Amino acid sequence: MEKLNINKDWLSLFQGQNPAIIAGPCSAETPEQVMRIAKSLPKEVKVYRAGIWKPRTRPGGFEGVGAIGLKWLQQVKAETGMLIATEVATAEHVRLCLEHDIDILWIGARTAVNPFAIQEIADALRGTDKVVLLKNPVNPDLSLWMGGVERLAEAGITKLGVIHRGFSTYEKTKYRNIPEWQIPIDLKLHLPNIPIFCDPSHITGNRDKILGVSQQALDLNYEGLMIETHCDPDNAWSDAAQQVTPEQLSDIISKLRVRNVTDETEEFLQQIQAHRIQIDDMDSKLLDLLRKRMLISDAIGKLKRDKNVAVFQQDRWTKILEKMQEEGKHIGFTEEFITAIYTAIHQESIYRQDKIINKE
């Protein structure tokens, strides 16, 4: 892939803050609410966010105050000096934001799944020098996320970043949107220069978990955080459970620990190299164990073929998964981790057995 022209210098907007913090309400509700929150935020916050247009999963919910809210954000900028940010989903949203001199525009997860929508927004932004942040698509699709970045870059937008807000799943987990940390890690592998922010509010859906997820993001060298903040979160017009008060935000910021990228001391380098050699050895052994397991699965596939038995056996799969989740819990693994591993193993087994059964 051709190297994208991404300029990280826009992070200077945060005046050296590490991590960079973007905070404010999920939704702008009234001019008084917008200003009250802005003036209550910790002094560390340099960028104020508020949703003006709110795409909802189902009709009937609060879908934002609309363009009038942009004037409220302008007033925040005039009175506090903070930069202002909001979400755009259409070319018309972009036009209005440019007219009102919004500093940072982000593209939401529902919009990110639609290449036509991203292209429309990219075309509307062509020739501007605004900072543009792209949230991950709602579904865990790295190529789709990268494709959105590429469309924006090809439109001449160089002040680019991404926001990791987690991925939707039909499975019940402790998160509102599962992090799938490997996907943003892989994005960074392909686009090492792009700044990445974490949105722990949308990942967790629960204000009590925001600190933990924020720290995980910093441990993975994320550049910033976007945290939804409201003076009266329990009575917010949208996403009440995941918003924190300005006081809670201040407490979260104070507890965050930024890690060193590395440690160049000889002791550290020797110890980490020893651990990595152990991991490499274990990874090779894991692959060999998986190879042996698949050979047994192949033998089962041949037996099923000879006896004309269906590949997928629901009861057997349910028992395996439940057994391993229980065993995993006793040795400190999360249910999500065990489910992901054994689902992948089961899918590979099904694939191999199906090839055996349908072999001509």
Side-chain angles (χ1 to χ4, degrees), residues 238-353:
S238 58
D239 289 347
Q242 67 190 38
Q243 299 190 67
V244 298
T245 65
E247 295 76 20
Q248 289 170 326
L249 176 62
S250 182
D251 184 58
I252 289 169
I253 292 172
S254 71
K255 291 177 178 175
L256 292 172
R257 295 291 175 265
V258 177
R259 314 296 186 189
N260 296 324
V261 174
T262 187
D263 184 317
E264 297 299 333
T265 63
E266 184 176 353
E267 180 186 12
F268 171 80
L269 295 174
Q270 287 178 345
Q271 289 182 3
I272 199 167
Q273 182 61 17
H275 291 318
R276 286 171 174 169
I277 290 171
Q278 288 179 304
I279 284 178
D280 290 346
D281 181 57
M282 289 180 184
D283 283 342
S284 296
K285 291 176 180 177
L286 279 172
L287 280 179
D288 190 55
L289 278 175
L290 286 171
R291 178 187 65 82
K292 292 174 180 177
R293 190 189 192 283
M294 289 303 164
L295 290 176
I296 297 171
S297 183
D298 291 348
I300 292 173
K302 292 172 185 176
L303 184 60
K304 288 177 179 177
R305 180 192 61 195
D306 295 343
K307 300 298 182 181
N308 195 33
V309 173
V311 169
F312 180 55
Q313 302 289 318
Q314 178 67 60
D315 289 345
R316 170 63 178 164
W317 165 232
T318 300
K319 288 177 182 177
I320 289 175
L321 187 58
E322 289 177 349
K323 178 177 180 290
M324 300 320 296
Q325 285 173 341
E326 186 63 26
E327 290 188 16
K329 182 171 66 175
H330 286 305
I331 55 177
F333 290 133
T334 65
E335 184 175 306
E336 291 87 351
F337 176 67
I338 294 298
T339 300
I341 287 177
Y342 278 90
T343 297
I345 291 172
H346 183 248
Q347 288 174 346
E348 178 67 12
S349 296
I350 291 292
Y351 168 74
R352 293 169 69 105
Q353 289 186 17

Side-chain angles (χ1 to χ4, degrees), residues 7-226:
N7 179 6
K8 295 182 69 171
D9 291 348
W10 64 265
L11 287 169
S12 64
L13 296 173
F14 294 91
Q15 302 170 31
Q17 183 186 42
N18 186 19
I21 304 291
I22 300 174
C26 173
S27 302
E29 300 166 2
T30 66
E32 294 78 17
Q33 170 251 15
V34 167
M35 187 60 71
R36 181 187 173 199
I37 295 169
K39 291 185 174 180
S40 300
L41 289 174
K43 66 181 185 302
E44 293 94 339
V45 178
K46 310 300 184 198
V47 177
Y48 182 84
R49 60 140 289 155
I52 303 301
W53 302 279
K54 298 298 298 181
R56 312 313 295 172
T57 303
R58 300 177 68 179
F62 175 61
E63 296 187 335
V65 296
I68 186 64
L70 296 173
K71 297 186 181 301
W72 307 345
L73 291 181
Q74 282 183 313
Q75 194 62 33
V76 165
K77 186 175 183 178
E79 293 193 24
T80 69
M82 283 190 290
L83 302 181
I84 47 179
T86 198
E87 178 179 347
V88 294
T90 68
E92 177 65 9
H93 292 171
V94 171
R95 183 186 69 79
L96 289 166
C97 285
L98 296 180
E99 284 182 2
H100 290 80
D101 197 26
I102 304 300
D103 300 290
I104 298 176
L105 287 67
W106 80 81
I107 301 168
R110 291 179 175 87
T111 308
V113 300
N114 186 344
F116 292 109
I118 296 294
Q119 191 61 57
E120 176 186 301
I121 292 170
D123 292 339
L125 284 164
R126 194 179 297 273
T128 71
D129 65 348
K130 297 296 184 184
V131 175
V132 181
L133 306 178
L134 179 65
K135 286 195 172 185
N136 63 257
V138 290
N139 52 309
D141 189 328
L142 176 61
S143 294
L144 196 57
W145 199 2
M146 289 179 56
V149 174
E150 290 164 4
R151 288 178 184 276
L152 293 166
E154 288 172 1
I157 302 162
T158 61
K159 296 179 180 178
L160 278 172
V162 294
I163 303 172
H164 172 215
R165 51 79 77 191
F167 303 88
S168 296
T169 176
Y170 65 87
E171 297 173 351
K172 185 178 179 181
T173 75
K174 63 181 180 181
Y175 298 114
R176 178 181 178 185
N177 295 289
I178 54 176
E180 297 279 10
W181 294 104
Q182 190 60 45
I183 293 177
I185 289 172
D186 288 343
L187 181 82
K188 268 289 206 181
L189 182 65
H190 291 286
L191 303 172
N193 290 328
I194 198 161
I196 181 166
F197 280 62
C198 181
D199 177 351
S201 304
H202 277 90
I203 287 177
T204 64
N206 180 339
R207 66 178 66 97
D208 295 333
K209 292 184 171 68
I210 286 176
L211 174 59
V213 168
S214 296
Q215 186 61 61
Q216 282 183 272
L218 297 192
D219 292 346
L220 294 171
N221 297 320
Y222 283 34
E223 281 82 0
L225 302 168
M226 178 183 278

